[in-house]
Amino acid sequence: EVQLLESGGGLVQPGGSLGLSCAASGFTFSSYAMSWVRQAPGKGLEWVSGTGTSAGDTQYADSVKGRFTISRDNSKNTLHLQMNSLRAEDTAVYYCAKRGGSGTYAFDIWGQGTMVTVSS
Amino acid sequence: EIVLTQSPGTLSLSPGERATLSCRASQTISSNSLAWYQQTPGQAPRLLIYGASSRATGIPDRFSGSGSGTDFTLTISRLEPEDFAVYYCQQRGSSPLYTFGQGTKLEIK
């Protein structure tokens, strides 16, 4: 079964740091681009960051650029998101999402999400 | 930045009726970059349509997508009770790499 499982969410103070992980199974992880997408409480979806199949091929939304770092460990089938200098507006459910195959610019598999709350 | 505007914000219909949801882009986008998702409360989004008109694996044929240029449509031919949810369109651009519309809530009338 194709599956993504996020972990690492929690409560953190403004200015703090948190690391999220996403464990992938059921597909060849190294062959697919991956992204993080977040959803603030009661709001819509916002793409946060993405990575291609190779290290160094990373992209960020302007809202997180310079504060968040995405990485992947293809040997462990795991996607990471390191979040620094967190702000109240970063409070959201964070989803890990797999992009479809070549030429498919959509996310065909999503994890269940992990909640990040930034509050004092 | 390309902005996607979905309409209506809320659509009230009855089971068995036809639903038409709109997604308009602020500038011309490639059809192969337009996707639609369904999200029910407490759940992750589910991919319905990619490439503007291709159904994702396991999606019933009552869901269809169409459009090109700046105007795209998701049609649900005959609403089932499980179709009442929030629907998002999404496109792949350059910066940011992906953007989503603000969503259309499809509610039971």
Side-chain angles (χ1 to χ4, degrees), chain A residues 33 35 37 39 43-47 50 59-62 65 95 99 103-113, chain B residues 1 32-35 37 39 42-47 49-51 88 90-92 95-102:
Chain A
S35 279
V37 177
Q39 186 169 37
K43 303 299 184 182
L45 301 169
E46 179 190 16
W47 175 81
Q59 309 87 27
Y60 299 92
D62 285 346
K65 201 171 293 183
Y95 295 103
R99 210 192 88 177
T104 303
Y105 301 111
F107 302 115
D108 61 352
I109 303 295
W110 296 64
Q112 87 291 347
Chain B
E1 175 183 345
N32 71 354
S33 72
L34 196 285
Y37 300 85
Q39 188 179 34
Q43 299 298 311
R46 177 174 72 146
L47 177 64
I49 300 289
Y50 65 93
Y88 295 95
Q90 167 247 310
Q91 70 92 28
R92 182 189 187 270
S95 181
L97 192 57
Y98 297 94
T99 54
F100 291 88
Q102 83 280 13

Side-chain angles (χ1 to χ4, degrees), chain A residues 87-110:
Chain A
R87 307 166 180 167
E89 54 265 36
D90 296 318
T91 294
V93 174
Y94 284 73
Y95 295 103
C96 166
K98 167 187 169 292
R99 210 192 88 177
S102 177
T104 303
Y105 301 111
F107 302 115
D108 61 352
I109 303 295
W110 296 64

Side-chain angles (χ1 to χ4, degrees), chain A residues 30-52:
Chain A
S30 60
S31 296
Y32 293 92
M34 301 290 296
S35 279
W36 290 95
V37 177
R38 69 184 180 184
Q39 186 169 37
K43 303 299 184 182
L45 301 169
E46 179 190 16
W47 175 81
V48 172
S49 180
T51 177

Side-chain angles (χ1 to χ4, degrees), chain A residues 76-97:
Chain A
K76 295 183 178 178
N77 295 340
T78 304
L79 181 71
H80 299 283
L81 186 68
Q82 178 62 38
M83 305 184 293
N84 298 330
S85 303
L86 283 161
R87 307 166 180 167
E89 54 265 36
D90 296 318
T91 294
V93 174
Y94 284 73
Y95 295 103
C96 166

